[in-house]
Amino acid sequence: MIHSLFLVNSSGDIFLEKHWKSVVSRSVCDYFFEAQERASEPENVPPVIPTPHHYLISVLRHRIYFVAVIQSEVPPLFVIEFLHRVVDTFQDYFGLCTEAAIKDNVVVVYELLEEMLDNGFPLATESNILKELIKPPTILRTVVNTITGSTNVGEQLPTGQLSVVPWRRTGVKYTNNEAYFDVVEEIDAIIDKSGSTITAEIQGVIDACVKLTGMPDLTLSFMNPRLLDDVSFHPCVRFKRWEAERILSFIPPDGNFRLLSYHVSSQNLVAIPVYVKHNITFREGSSQGRFELTLGPKQTMGKAVESVLVSSQLPRGVLNANLNASQGTYTFDPVTKLLTWDVGKINPQKLPSLKGSMSLQAGASKPDENPTIIIQFKIQQMAISGLKVNRLDMYGEKYKPFKGIKYMTKAGKFQTGMQRPHVSCVKA
Amino acid sequence: MSSGSGFGDEKGGSSSVGEPEYGHDPASGGIFSSDYKRHDDLKEMLDSNKDSLKLEAMKRIVAMIARGKNASDLFPAVVKNVACKNIEVKKLVYVYLVRYAEEQQDLALLSISTFQRGLKDPNQLIRASALRVLSSIRVTIIVPIMMLAIKEAASDMSPYVRKTAAHAIPKLYSLDPEQKDQLIEVIEKLLADKTTLVAGSVVMAFEEVCPERIDLIHKNYRKLCNLLIDVEEWGQVVIINMLTRYARTQFLNPNVNESLLEESGEKAFYGSDDEEGKEEKAEAAALAKRKPYVMDPDHRLLLRNTKPLLQSRNAAVVMAVAQLYFHLAPKAEVGVIAKALVRLMRSHSEVQYVVLQNVATMTIKRRGMFEPYLKSFYIRSTDPTQIKILKLEVLTNLANETNISTILREFQTYIKSMDKDFVAATIQAIGRCATNIGEVRDTCLNGLVQLLSNRDELVVAESVVVIKKLLQMQPEQHSDIIKHMAKLTDNIQVPMARASILWLIGEYCEHVPKIAPDVLRKMAKTFTNEEDIVKLQIINLAAKLYLTNSKQTKLLTQYVLNLAKYDQNYDIRDRARFIRQLIVPTDKSGALSKYAKKLFLALKPAPVLESPFKDRDHFQLGSLSHLLNAKAGGYQELPDWPETAPDPSVRNVEVPEWTKCSSREKRKEKKVEKPFYSDSEEESGPTESADSESDSASGSGSGSESEESGSGSESEESREESESEQEDKEDEEDKRKKKKKTDRGKVKAPAVESPESEESSGAEEKNRAQKVKGRRSGSESESEEEEESESESSRSESESESESESDTDAKKKKKAPVTKPPPKQAKKESKKEKKEMSLLDLDDFEPTPSPQVTPVNNFLSSSLVTDLEGLSLTDTVMAPTTIAPSGSVKTYELLHRITGEGLGVEYCFSRQPFSPDAHMVAVQIMFTNNTNAETKNLHVEDPKLQSGMRIKEFPEIELLPPGEMVTVVMGIDFCDSTQAANFQLCTHIRKFFVSIQPPVGELMMPVFMTENEFKKEQGQLMGMNEISEKLTLGEKCQNEHGIVQRVTSAANVSRVPCGSDKECRFAGKTVSSGILVLVTVATKEERAAQLTVNCEKMVIGTMLVKDILQALTQ
């Protein structure tokens, strides 16, 4: 399946290669570099590139291209999903998956890659098993290792690979037994300039951090499980039980993991927690334009909207912007024409606004007046879909675990500002 | 080195520090020599005794490999460390070895012996890793060794080793394709494996080695379908893709009828009216002819079992299921995949890219499926361009009369985007909507014309190109648009757009007679500066005008042609020459010139704007080939549906042959009947032998007696038999006394003193005797059963018959059952009725220590056995079946006849207390020798157990003659877990890895309790220790009777008396730690019931609930 893997940094250098079958020359990447040159943006490199003898399937993460070399038919998603899993594993191990981190830990990276694939076919991708095989480097362990000469490779054999619950290692022990669940929802929305919702959907996940001794068997139930009609689960969740009772029953992996993700589609009504009023005008022939933008909360169930960040790609003709923010700070990059405004918390009594003038390139024609505005925000203690966890029970172990649940709503791909013409316009 | 030099310094810090030192050496100086020196340094470290130095050296070497630097000259130094004790060094050496072995084949051979040793290691993980590295070394010379290792590992006891064997298969295949046939054999064997761990890997091997051998799948099809949900995610993808192909060859198209309708529907929409009528009739006829479609249950099984996987977190799995549904499901059911695919769209952009490609193909065939999700394909300004363009494609495919206005409105917004490629694609999309949907054609055209006044030249150019295509469809009405476009030639610089305008004017010059020559005039002026495609169109325009309006344009045309004659581009020169000959009449002009008008001004068909994804679905969706729209290497075509369904019975899994064979079958029957007979038989077995012993063996006691029955002299044996037979009769006569008899047996047992059996209690010995009897009945059963069911008078006769038989020859006896089957069947029926009753009774007295099956500890010395070969034969034959008290003892396979090379082994949980150790579960093991040769020295070796688990081996079986079977009992302390006990089963020639995994219900033993005690205990096991489940009782267990039967067969518990008839209560305790297990089944109206299990160990409780639930709902 996967023949070789090359890691390419943003300047086009191959800084790591790994082969699972016979060696493929790194010159195969030339085809990739060609495609990279052709693409206007880094993310526009096609994920699948055919070459005369191989196929290159790549993913881009943290400004590193992970280029897998394939020789024969294989589902492309299979490779893509695997590469993402590799990145996730690196992230899990090294905190962040940057070029420097990979280079610093090249031996661990190599050991991991060796365990994850056998002859190009995924072998151990479960983080709990990998951690049993190869211990993640920590500062303490690095120090100890240099002194004692001991290793990162687990001394014990990975019994997890043999178990019926491969995602959980055996013999877990904690003094504080804790189970935390974060319900995080992201709103993806496209909102018209007039404020009407073109499309809005919610993408939710429940991330768990479970540190429990032994083999606990957890059940998580919801107040309103009917909201979850489109879900995907971690393999530990017992699907039958969910189908029958709408209860999540599972033996959790040890540590952090994503229990489930769900999708509340555009067909349902999605509450939009903020609104934006903006007015950007340019006059023909004048080198000045006016800029006005106001934000306000909407349908937030009384919760504060925090960490608000507004960004907008202003038209090319704009030379500079001279604005006045009622709160927070704004920056305008004259090169990329990107305007960002870090608003902070929205105070419903005094709505934040950004007003001022823009100077235009002399002689340029009147730019488009409806740039896209992208908004980021966070609302704590609320899941916008209304999802609520009812209770968490533990079986199989005797101690009383400490349980915690947190809700949060965030903006996902939340954009507004573009004007939708009326049908009549089209017909005119 | 260039890119990684900084990095090398960090990592190999010490070495770079060392470099200057070497620099003093006059010989060194160049980079090569310093490199060489550095490797010397590494070699030294590798040769040292310290693991830490070795490790440091290996780390640096691996870092070199990672950077793509050549480290092959270190091979000899590295390979020496292959047997290093330090695990990390070892692993890194493996990494090195696998990387360079191909280049240094001879040296690589040095390491092989280490791996061969590893293959024999008792630890399964070491075996697996040895096999993994061995098979990864790409050295042709070791192919036979690899082949051997793979074969060996394929029958390893550990599923993990078998999985590794499956992984090794494609490695060997790519190294030496000659091995294909042998490898297919291994694949076939592994396909039959029942563990989820192996399934994914072996199917992957199948796909790489022999994807054409679809016949290998038949027998495993249902198993694969059922295992699928528990297979790890990567294996799921491979299995689903393979099953898609399989299903296409084996089942009928579920959409035969629909697809016809669908086509007709589409045609009616686009096609002309009269055609439509005809077609409809034809289809109606075709439909009438067709038989109603019935889906194969296996086809349904596949669809049903894959559906939950749409919920997987792995995008590849979801996609695999989606393509399966798309290719295999009836049209009405395909819709379920849309939601899951839309969900994937939120994933990484690469995932989006692939999913959108597939959605684009699907939307062409099945537009309705994605229509509800239209808005999910709306484009965001933050999407990468390639995603935007794919979304556009999907939106275009989804456009129809009802949603076109919204879609067009969306498109209008997109045109304002700053991403020009995307804008161009949007304009093309508008063009396609216009051609597909007649109603909006004018609207679109107008919209596009408006775009002609856009400030952005690219937008204008793209619009021109699209307008050109649209105008070709109905040119007459649009002369003003053409005029408008003619004006644009002054401004538009994009060559493609200029060329399009010129072509349009030329083509429709009759509609714009005044403007066209003027355009030509302007073009003639700029001719030399134009791009090639524009030049060609200028020549075209000139020619067309010359033909229609030669008066005004003759000179211009000449001028243009002259310019073209001297153009740099030969294509243009050729064209000019050709056109001149064709249109300018000269005396020499050829015959073609009179057709010039027809050539140039022929009516051209309008272009069809169609999706690039049209017809891409002949590639299996989700595949690489589909994505590239070209066949990738190794792609397996998705076969067309067969016209008629192949024989579905090929998927019927044959019952392993040996269960069919007479002795086995007999045994099962016997077991079923047993509750009825067992009263006498079971009890009589031990007692009788005890009696006979005391009689015959001069009071040596039951222990020695059982021993004797196994190994005693022949004369004794026959006597004993006859005696026992008589006893049997007696027993029959007074069945009611059975309880007393057991007591008697019990009493007798301790009274007997036998030196050999001191450790084993009397009960144990009795067990053995009983078992011996069981074996005998296995072969001889017929005659016995007959006797029993017949009247007593006739009985004595048959008895004598059987006796004589047993005396004469074992083989003869074996045949007996075959010769007399009919009467037996008749009897069986009558027995069945009684069986249920007796079951209940049995349950009641189960807890009282019932007679035991005990292994005689190894006193069968080999010499004795060889002396008394014939005897041991009779021995097997003569024992009656008295294995378990309850009728439905389930037997499990320990070693299949094929895997065991003729030795078949089954086991069951006899539910007898295991007397040598009360904390052990008694497991009864039945060996059958299916070969033509004797199997000797059967014994257990090398148990590998989870911590705390213990095993009490059965005594070695010295000899198992061909065709015979023998039963032994061993004890296993499972520590109240359902973890498997693994051990090796050894014969004189072979070792087999086997494992016994107990169902949770067998981990307990019955406890007697009163109602009050029960309630009290239950009260203490509330809350977390209580698990309740609601259930609907299966049809066959609606009455109390049925429930009791089901529960007791699922778990080894005993019934607790209960005042209410709405409740059944059971109690048991775990064998190992004696923890109470309480089961309550409360029945309600209408088959509803509630099952409650109270147990301190929640895992046991949960599992028990599951098992009982299953038993009750079936």
Side-chain angles (χ1 to χ4, degrees), chain B residues 831-855:
Chain B
K831 282 168 207 162
K832 266 183 190 164
E833 298 174 0
K834 295 181 192 168
K835 181 188 84 186
E836 294 194 343
M837 293 303 292
S838 56
L839 238 180
L840 265 178
D841 295 349
L842 276 170
D843 284 334
D844 280 346
F845 67 77
E846 228 172 35
T848 60
S850 48
Q852 303 288 303
V853 186
T854 343

Side-chain angles (χ1 to χ4, degrees), chain A residues 17 26 44 48 60 73 85 111 114 118 151 186 188 230-233 366 394 413 415 420-421, chain B residues 66-67 88 132 171 233 311 343 346 350 380-381 385 409-410 455 623-625 627 633 1024:
Chain A
E17 61 179 73
R26 55 164 68 189
N44 274 332
V48 182
L60 171 68
E73 172 64 47
R85 204 61 73 79
E111 284 166 347
E114 185 72 24
D118 181 18
T151 68
E186 292 189 358
D188 291 352
D230 185 13
V231 277
S232 68
F233 299 116
K366 184 175 162 250
M394 186 183 73
K413 297 170 179 171
Q415 76 173 50
R420 256 64 184 172
Chain B
R67 272 177 288 148
E88 189 165 19
R132 207 182 136 194
K171 297 185 205 169
E233 41 198 348
Q311 245 82 35
R343 190 182 66 234
R346 235 332 271 270
E350 295 88 4
R380 297 164 197 284
S381 56
T385 312
R409 196 151 35 130
E410 209 39 44
R455 273 188 301 274
S623 67
L624 185 61
S625 304
L627 189 84
M1024 288 279 280

